[in-house]
Amino acid sequence: MLLFVNACLRDGSRTERLAEMWLGRRAYEGQVRTVHLAELDVDPLEAAGPNTISAYGEAVAAGDYDHPMFDYAKAFAQADEVLIAAPFWNYGLPALLNCYLELVCTQGLTFDVDETGAYVSLCKARRLTFVSTAGGAAPDLSDDHAFGKVRTLATHFWHIPQIEHVAAWGLDGLGADVEALLADAL
Ligand SMILES: Cc1cc2nc3c(=O)[nH]c(=O)nc-3n(C[C@H](O)[C@H](O)[C@H](O)COP(=O)(O)O)c2cc1C
């Protein structure tokens, strides 16, 4: 199963289009399961609210993951491949995707810690692709907190060996040829 985490929030999103172009080219033969964050109520971990940090902590300590907040992590762990699509916002990720990733990063579901303190992956995925578009030019790698964050999680928690960034930059520049920039990104 290829899990498509769609964090594109705008009508007519260019990032969504780039992700669909990428999916068409990928021609994945298994099932594609889409999680469209715009249509979901992904609540952050909070002191009070649907997903409290205390309930989260107690569940992780007990290894009891029945609460619906853990459903995203369970599905993520089962994916053979992951595609994440998100626009570049304020040098980082949209908050909704951060909320989703916060829940996906649950110890005991997508990663664990061994007796030496090292992270052990509980994910099946061997490949993760991050698709993004940005209005401006590509920043230095150390200033890219979008792909930078995804790459760090995929490397250190989930041990995904193949991590790719498909990015179109400069889409909001005066006279930008958006179609050409999207095609080039592929
Ligand atoms: C809230 C917000 C924050 C943005 N921050 C940045 C930014 O930090 N750097 C940049 O190059 N473009 C930024 N942009 C422009 C978007 O990255 C760009 O328009 C992108 O192509 C939008 O993708 P979409 O068409 O899929 O919505 C921002 C746009 C919005 C709405």
Side-chain angles (χ1 to χ4, degrees), residues 81-96:
E81 179 168 339
V82 177
L83 166 66
I84 301 176
F88 192 58
W89 277 7
N90 304 318
Y91 286 83
L93 300 171
L96 202 54

Side-chain angles (χ1 to χ4, degrees), residues 10 12-16 87-91 133-137 171-172:
R10 235 171 34 81
S13 161
R14 286 90 52 97
T15 316
E16 189 168 51
F88 192 58
W89 277 7
N90 304 318
Y91 286 83
T133 71
L171 265 57
D172 296 339

Side-chain angles (χ1 to χ4, degrees), residues 110-122:
T110 58
F111 74 96
D112 217 333
V113 184
D114 71 13
E115 58 287 347
T116 69
Y119 293 124
V120 178
S121 174
L122 301 178

Side-chain angles (χ1 to χ4, degrees), residues 2 4 17-18 27 30 42 76 80 90 99 130 135 143-144 170 176 181:
L2 185 154
F4 174 20
R17 192 137 50 84
L18 184 57
V42 188
F76 195 95
D80 300 299
N90 304 318
C99 290
F130 180 65
D143 290 327
D144 182 347
L181 291 168

Side-chain angles (χ1 to χ4, degrees), residues 4-71:
F4 174 20
V5 180
N6 184 345
C8 303
L9 305 175
R10 235 171 34 81
D11 282 348
S13 161
R14 286 90 52 97
T15 316
E16 189 168 51
R17 192 137 50 84
L18 184 57
E20 278 161 4
M21 288 158 73
W22 183 89
L23 263 177
R25 183 174 290 201
R26 174 74 182 84
Y28 185 76
E29 290 189 349
Q31 183 201 5
V32 176
R33 183 166 163 191
T34 302
V35 179
H36 198 175
L37 298 189
E39 293 167 2
L40 299 173
D41 214 5
V42 188
D43 293 295
L45 291 172
E46 294 176 283
N51 300 337
T52 62
I53 187 63
S54 57
Y56 172 88
E58 284 161 20
V60 170
D64 172 2
Y65 301 103
D66 281 346
H67 192 287
M69 76 170 120
F70 298 115
D71 290 351

